Amino acid sequence: MSQDSKTARNADARGVPTTADGTNRAKLYQLVLFPFNNGATNVYYVLLMNYIAYYAEGVLGLLLAFATTMVTVTRALDAFIDPVVGMLIDRTQTRFGKFRPFMVLGNVVMIASSLCLFYGTRLIPEDATAVKYVVYTVFYILLMVGYSIQTSCTRSGQTCLTNDPKQRPTFTLFNTIASLVGMGVTMAVASLVGGTVGFRTEEFFNIIIPLVIFLSAALTALAVIGIAGKDRPEFWGLGGESTKSQLKLHDYVQIFRHNNELKRLIVAASGTKFAFAVATNTSVGILLYSCMMANYNGLYLPMYVLGYVFSAPFFLGGLRLSQKAGQKKTLVTFTSLALLLYLGVCGLLMAWQPGNPDFTLAIFSTEGGFHFTLNAYTIAFIVLYGLGYGAYYSTADMAIPMIADVSDYEMFRSGNYAPGVIGTLFSFVDKLVSSLSTTVVGIALLAVGLTQLPDTTTPYVDGMKGLTIVLFCIIPMIAWALTLVAMKGYSLTGKRMEEIQAVNGARKAAIEAGMPVVEAMERWRDAADVAGAAGEK
């Protein structure tokens, strides 16, 4: 029996689906559960990006400029933490695995820091203003450290979960389900509670913080179960000595310098992430649905739910398209569609007129009993916004499995198994860019004369219409245009990834059979050699 057959047989005996050509396939429950790690951190993402400034300004009485700027500064700090965490992940080998220790540690740190930040700071005397600023900053930074530790595992952990080009795109679908459970539940509950007791009250955070802690911890437990069977040395890299990362800082610089696919993906995804963070910011939703349309409770949640409903066919269609033609094809197709549809959304908002019911969003009314009040303007908005949101939301997390492709490409290109650092190099730039979102919104609010974050009691003032159009439409459209430009030269198509995985599989089989890593790398230096590699087996 060949060494390849023995490896496949032994792996199967442990319940891990493999093939003789080195393709690593995950079981269904593993594909479903591991994305909950992203769902677990997205719960805190919603808290950090949308509501923490309300706590600082409303509950603690800190300055609005400080509250919004802190979101940017700590998010940027988080970006610098990521590469350090990535290097630690690449160098970690424990009985508990490479990724699971960081998943659990990150969540524990976030729990502890959240309790201190949202409850401990209330114990500070009212006249100790300076102490409030310092303590708030310290625990906010600690929360971001925990967030960075756990999020680093989402991108890097996929490399050991599966390398099958047909399976990997399913992460986007299952990640959406995880986000619906995590981020979706958090935002839905927060909008309902905030619409009742206000977003800047202690009552709001007394409900939201326990929900965030419990929900994130539960999703983390599911993710740990999902990756447990794959978080082992035989699924790290090419096997042999390649699983023991000895890379130095200079090596990571070279990875970023020479891996052009990584840089193109960073440009495409970070711009889209920034636009998504701006357009879905709670303040922007209030500007649109409350200040302009004067019906936050009757519009925000229905529109939010409709966005997910419209997303469903795009996720299913995108999965099929990604499996057939590669993830690049799906990203480019759906981004182009979103850009086209949002031209229509932008036009509708420009046509809005204060006090004109024919050009105001209206879904239903409870005055004199419940009845629908749909008009042509609302129907057109629902169709254009729903389809546009569905198209771009279905690609919002597509960069995560594409980062796994880039990591496998780096292993093919240089032989380096560095999923931690490659994933965090991506998030380093991604977070630096997206960290600007809250500050951009804060500065924009100041530009129209608002000295406080808007809530459902904030009246419409001149300038809000143009501001909402820029934040809700123009910024996302610019980001999508940049994405299309960056993806034009991205070479990791579906066919190319099949070639790369075949070469990596041939190298791994040779290394497991006793061939030195260096020799295996030299023997199959180009994807075109895979035919010969397959023939020799």
Side-chain angles (χ1 to χ4, degrees), residues 115-454:
L115 292 173
C116 294
L117 177 61
F118 291 97
Y119 295 104
T121 52
R122 300 186 202 176
L123 303 178
I124 301 173
E126 286 295 324
D127 58 349
T129 304
V131 176
K132 284 185 180 181
Y133 278 97
V134 172
V135 174
Y136 174 86
T137 301
V138 169
F139 287 126
Y140 195 156
I141 291 174
L142 184 60
L143 178 57
M144 293 304 298
V145 170
Y147 176 81
S148 183
I149 291 172
Q150 187 170 358
T151 55
S152 298
C153 299
T154 298
R155 296 176 177 88
S156 56
Q158 295 174 83
T159 57
C160 71
L161 190 68
T162 178
N163 63 8
D164 185 353
K166 303 297 182 185
Q167 276 195 337
R168 187 165 279 171
T170 63
F171 181 90
T172 304
L173 176 63
F174 294 128
N175 179 69
T176 302
I177 297 173
S179 293
L180 281 170
V181 176
M183 184 164 61
V185 168
T186 304
M187 291 189 71
V189 173
S191 67
L192 291 173
V193 175
T196 303
V197 304
F199 292 100
R200 53 166 55 89
T201 63
E202 290 188 3
E203 292 82 358
F204 174 78
F205 290 97
N206 287 341
I207 295 173
I208 295 303
I209 300 307
L211 171 67
V212 165
I213 290 174
F214 173 79
L215 186 57
S216 180
L219 297 182
T220 298
L222 292 175
V224 168
I225 294 171
I227 200 174
K230 294 288 188 173
D231 195 9
R232 298 204 301 263
E234 58 264 39
F235 299 110
W236 302 337
L238 297 174
E241 293 298 314
S242 69
T243 64
K244 301 176 181 179
S245 177
Q246 302 298 325
L247 297 177
K248 307 297 182 183
L249 181 60
H250 171 75
D251 298 312
Y252 295 129
V253 172
Q254 293 303 308
I255 288 175
F256 184 77
R257 180 181 176 185
H258 296 292
N259 195 322
N260 292 324
E261 314 314 309
L262 174 62
K263 288 183 283 190
R264 288 186 176 277
L265 187 58
I266 285 173
V267 171
S270 59
T272 301
K273 184 69 170 289
F274 168 75
F276 182 77
V278 169
T280 60
N281 187 281
T282 298
S283 295
V284 177
I286 291 174
L287 287 175
L288 175 58
Y289 298 119
S290 179
C291 299
M292 287 179 61
M293 304 300 171
N295 190 10
Y296 182 82
N297 290 336
L299 289 172
Y300 177 80
L301 190 56
M303 288 296 182
Y304 185 72
V305 172
L306 282 171
Y308 279 113
V309 171
F310 275 96
S311 297
F314 285 101
F315 277 106
L316 296 175
L319 175 59
R320 283 181 167 273
L321 183 59
S322 294
Q323 290 175 327
K324 181 179 180 180
Q327 297 178 99
K328 173 187 174 180
K329 178 69 173 179
T330 303
L331 180 60
V332 170
T333 300
F334 288 178
T335 300
S336 301
L337 180 60
L339 180 59
L340 179 64
L341 290 167
Y342 259 62
L343 287 172
V345 175
C346 185
L348 287 174
L349 293 182
M350 291 177 67
W352 175 80
Q353 301 171 2
N356 188 337
D358 293 331
F359 289 91
T360 298
L361 294 177
I363 298 178
F364 62 85
S365 174
T366 56
E367 296 181 6
F370 180 91
H371 58 278
F372 286 102
T373 56
L374 280 172
N375 53 27
Y377 182 84
T378 303
I379 293 173
F381 184 88
I382 288 174
V383 172
L384 292 173
Y385 166 73
L387 291 174
Y389 183 91
Y392 95 79
Y393 183 72
S394 66
T395 66
D397 287 325
M398 188 172 289
I400 299 178
M402 292 176 76
I403 278 291
D405 286 348
V406 170
S407 182
D408 288 344
Y409 167 72
E410 181 61 33
M411 190 163 60
F412 159 78
R413 189 188 69 82
S414 67
N416 293 322
Y417 180 63
V421 165
I422 288 177
T424 53
L425 279 174
F426 171 84
S427 61
F428 171 76
V429 179
D430 173 71
K431 289 178 180 178
L432 279 179
V433 173
S434 63
S435 67
L436 296 172
S437 61
T438 302
T439 298
V440 167
V441 173
I443 294 174
L445 294 175
L446 292 172
V448 295
L450 293 179
T451 57
Q452 290 184 328
L453 292 173

